[in-house]
Amino acid sequence: MTATVTADLAITLDGYVAGPNVTLENPGGDGGEPIFDWIHTLASWRERQGMTGGEENRDSELMREWFDATGAVVMGRMMYDTGEEFWGDDPPFRTPVFVLTHRPRPTLVKEGGTTFTFVTDGIHSALEQAGAAAGDRNVDIGGGADTVRQYLAAGLVDELQLHVVPTLLGDGLRLFEGPGARRRDLEQVRVVETPLATHLKYRFAK
């Protein structure tokens, strides 16, 4: 597979990607709104949702860059289940999405070019299928935290971008802890500071 594998997540200053008590009805967890609300104001995000307006700024440019560079997405079943109703019939991905799961389900074809393929034979199979679908664009490991940790632990992520929001949550779902956490060296690619977030992009050293 020749596609660049990325992981791109919003995270609080104290390392949380969601608040505590994440459920289908509470996908961001308790108090997790600041992690995601800034994204929903951006013009590039609103375009993907079929809406008009929004802020045209550096944050919006970076989000549009992610959309344009991504040719396929891998996500966990929890992320899919918590997002299914919110995304509706025209999800914002506009690319093939491969969902890691232990519960088989037929492929879903949505509007705008998004398809959801449910993969039951592990992270390597999902990545291979996503790489074949992505062509010359990136494969993004979209989340949630457990899925990203699995790919990090396996050394399968090439680039990591964190959008650090100026919030201390104090509790919730951490990205860098648990069995998947281990020593990794990174090369800094870019740092962009805005009032909404500090955008940190790294490449994993080989």
Side-chain angles (χ1 to χ4, degrees):
M1 192 189 74
T2 59
T4 298
V5 181
T6 64
D8 191 296
L9 302 101
I11 190 169
T12 66
L13 187 60
D14 50 351
Y16 296 101
V17 294
N21 303 314
V22 173
T23 65
L24 295 182
E25 295 75 26
N26 187 28
D30 295 343
E33 293 83 5
I35 304 172
F36 312 104
D37 282 352
W38 65 277
I39 299 173
H40 302 155
T41 69
L42 305 179
S44 56
W45 174 261
R46 293 177 65 84
E47 288 169 10
R48 282 282 176 142
Q49 300 289 342
M51 299 183 288
T52 59
E55 297 290 331
E56 283 286 6
N57 52 26
R58 188 68 175 112
D59 306 278
S60 184
E61 291 173 1
L62 292 171
M63 188 61 61
R64 185 176 288 111
E65 176 186 273
W66 179 87
F67 283 136
D68 292 345
T70 300
V73 174
V74 176
M75 68 175 61
R77 185 60 184 261
M78 182 64 172
M79 181 176 176
Y80 173 80
D81 287 345
T82 56
E84 181 178 17
E85 183 175 344
F86 176 75
W87 296 325
D89 292 329
D90 190 9
F93 303 101
R94 311 291 170 87
T95 61
V97 178
F98 297 85
V99 182
L100 290 162
T101 183
H102 297 294
R103 292 173 283 148
R105 183 173 176 179
T107 295
L108 298 178
V109 179
K110 297 288 187 175
E111 298 174 15
T114 300
T115 57
F116 292 102
T117 299
F118 298 86
V119 180
T120 59
D121 52 349
I123 65 172
H124 291 86
S125 175
L127 187 58
E128 285 296 323
Q129 293 180 59
D136 59 356
R137 299 163 73 195
N138 297 343
V139 173
D140 190 73
I141 310 302
D146 180 65
T147 297
V148 174
R149 283 196 295 265
Q150 290 182 62
Y151 280 97
L152 289 174
L156 296 172
V157 177
D158 301 308
E159 294 181 355
L160 174 67
Q161 182 159 242
L162 301 175
H163 310 281
V164 183
V165 298
T167 298
L168 296 171
L169 202 56
D171 191 15
L173 183 62
R174 287 189 181 276
L175 179 59
F176 300 115
E177 70 175 11
R182 64 182 178 91
R183 164 76 184 270
R184 296 292 303 278
D185 293 324
L186 302 101
E187 303 167 0
Q188 183 174 291
V189 176
R190 179 178 67 196
V191 177
V192 179
E193 299 179 20
T194 77
L196 296 179
T198 301
H199 308 276
L200 308 173
K201 188 173 185 178
Y202 299 98
R203 182 178 298 113
F204 283 97
K206 299 299 185 183

